[in-house]
Amino acid sequence: MTADPPPPWPPERRGGPIRVATIPHTGPYVDAVLPAAAVRVGAAAEPSPWLDVAHLDAHAGEIDVLHLHAGDAAVAAVAGQCWAETARRLGLPLVVTVHRVPPSGRSARSPVEARYEAHLEAVLATAEVVLTLTPGAADEIADRYGRTAIVVSHPAAAVPDPALGSERGLVGLRLGPPTAGVPDAWGLARAALSGAVSGGGRLRVLAEDERHVGRAVLELAARGELEVVVHPASERAAQLQELHVAVLPEPPGTHSRDVEICRDVGTLVVAPTSGWSAQQWSEVVSYGTDASGWLDALSLTGAVAAALTRPMPRPADRTWRAEQRTAVQDVHAAVYRQVAADRLSAARQT
């Protein structure tokens, strides 16, 4: 589905910016898609004050659009049925971008996933417009929640460093905090290491906190079987740029910012089948997981070895990426203008 052409801006607001409350207030994706015709309202605080129903009630007249980026478990713990009903009662146009679709069948086994599922059901039932990032996610949203989602691309997430080279045969396994559906670091490292060695390469484990690596993986590094690099978050793009292949064990149903970084810097990706990484970019080699995201170790080993036989892709064309970002911002501007105009029209009729 694509956005319809926006209607004329109502006389009451003509010439002024569209006032948007985004949740979260800021972030790489939130900042990239915000159109020039919009201005963010509210404090840059976490958690967002707009998640407080009392704040929402008191400040509803200060905004034209409420835009929730759904995917954070902490947000889901707050923005449930009551929050969605408050937005509806106040007549606030709610736009929801779905960044993560919870795996089907996991809710009964995971309280966190059950809470997120309930949150998503509530906000999607209230939303005026639903956005997401891949056709696969849009299909899942239609099947499970009965909503049609507009598919928008993920804009550029990094700029390659022209002074930084990449090493052929170097495989990087990026580890984050333990997450539901992501296999343990030890199992991932063993399978990725086997694939790297089979493909004539070597393995580097990347983490922003040593606690995400685990003792067993650190012991492999001490024996010289792999390398561990703990780096600040600001160096993520540079670390991924140095690789031939990046293994990204994303949680099920998640859109990956790291895939977009790899596209921007020119690094092949190995990612699980439990998400839509292969729909984000053509240079993704998939490895097998079940519906819950649990690892098929042999599949990961084979995917890494196969990826090492492929040439390193060129970094994404910067001009094309800039045009893509403009197009995504145009879609957001059209959506904001449409829902804001609908709100004013409804107010005139009451």
Side-chain angles (χ1 to χ4, degrees):
M1 177 181 177
T2 58
D4 293 329
W9 194 231
E12 294 91 329
R13 297 281 297 122
R14 187 173 294 154
I18 306 170
R19 303 168 301 172
V20 182
T22 62
I23 304 172
H25 182 83
T26 189
Y29 183 84
V30 177
D31 297 345
V33 304
L34 190 74
V39 60
R40 269 179 289 214
V41 177
E46 296 299 334
S48 170
W50 294 104
L51 291 170
D52 182 346
V53 293
H55 182 91
L56 203 63
D57 208 339
H59 299 276
E62 299 173 12
I63 61 174
D64 302 307
V65 180
L66 181 62
H67 190 163
L68 172 69
H69 291 265
D72 190 329
V75 171
V78 179
Q81 187 68 42
C82 179
W83 184 85
E85 288 177 351
T86 300
R88 179 187 296 150
R89 173 177 59 80
L90 295 170
L92 282 172
L94 176 62
V95 176
V96 176
T97 298
V98 181
H99 293 262
R100 184 168 75 88
V101 182
S104 58
R106 285 181 53 83
S107 297
R109 299 195 302 272
S110 168
V112 172
E113 291 293 1
R115 185 163 53 239
Y116 183 70
E117 178 87 34
H119 153 76
L120 205 54
E121 287 178 352
V123 298
L124 291 183
T126 302
E128 297 289 331
V129 175
V130 180
L131 306 170
T132 194
L133 284 74
T134 57
D139 290 344
E140 188 80 359
I141 291 166
D143 290 344
R144 289 170 56 185
Y145 304 102
R147 295 302 306 267
T148 299
I150 299 171
V151 178
V152 292
S153 300
H154 193 305
V159 176
D161 183 347
L164 190 63
S166 55
E167 179 183 332
R168 185 165 191 83
L170 179 58
V171 177
L173 168 62
R174 209 185 85 74
L175 296 177
T179 306
V182 175
D184 65 283
W186 170 240
L188 286 164
R190 284 189 305 170
L193 176 61
S194 179
V197 172
S198 297
R202 66 187 187 93
L203 181 65
R204 173 183 292 172
V205 173
L206 301 172
E208 294 171 14
D209 189 323
E210 189 174 277
R211 292 172 296 180
H212 302 159
V213 178
R215 181 179 299 174
V217 177
L218 291 173
E219 288 175 355
L220 285 178
R223 296 201 299 266
E225 296 186 45
L226 54 81
E227 178 186 10
V228 172
V229 174
V230 178
H231 61 87
S234 60
E235 294 181 4
R236 182 184 295 190
Q239 292 292 337
L240 291 173
Q241 185 176 337
E242 292 182 355
L243 308 174
H244 182 171
V245 174
V247 180
L248 306 176
E250 301 284 7
T254 301
H255 295 110
S256 173
R257 177 170 171 256
D258 285 338
V259 168
E260 300 298 333
I261 293 175
C262 288
R263 184 209 293 245
D264 287 323
V265 302
T267 298
L268 275 163
V269 170
V270 170
T273 55
S274 55
W276 295 284
S277 296
Q279 292 186 358
Q280 288 183 243
W281 187 33
S282 60
E283 297 289 354
V284 174
V285 179
S286 299
Y287 67 87
T289 56
D290 65 15
S292 299
W294 302 117
L295 173 67
D296 179 338
L298 288 177
S299 179
L300 175 55
T301 295
V304 171
L308 285 173
T309 67
R310 296 168 60 167
M312 288 181 278
R314 294 178 61 84
D317 179 81
R318 305 310 304 165
T319 300
W320 172 76
R321 277 299 227 177
E323 292 171 349
Q324 181 190 50
R325 176 174 178 171
T326 298
V328 170
Q329 291 175 345
D330 287 347
V331 171
H332 282 75
V335 167
Y336 290 168
R337 183 165 292 184
Q338 178 70 63
V339 299
D342 289 347
R343 180 193 190 190
L344 285 173
S345 177
R348 292 193 199 101
Q349 295 172 12
T350 58

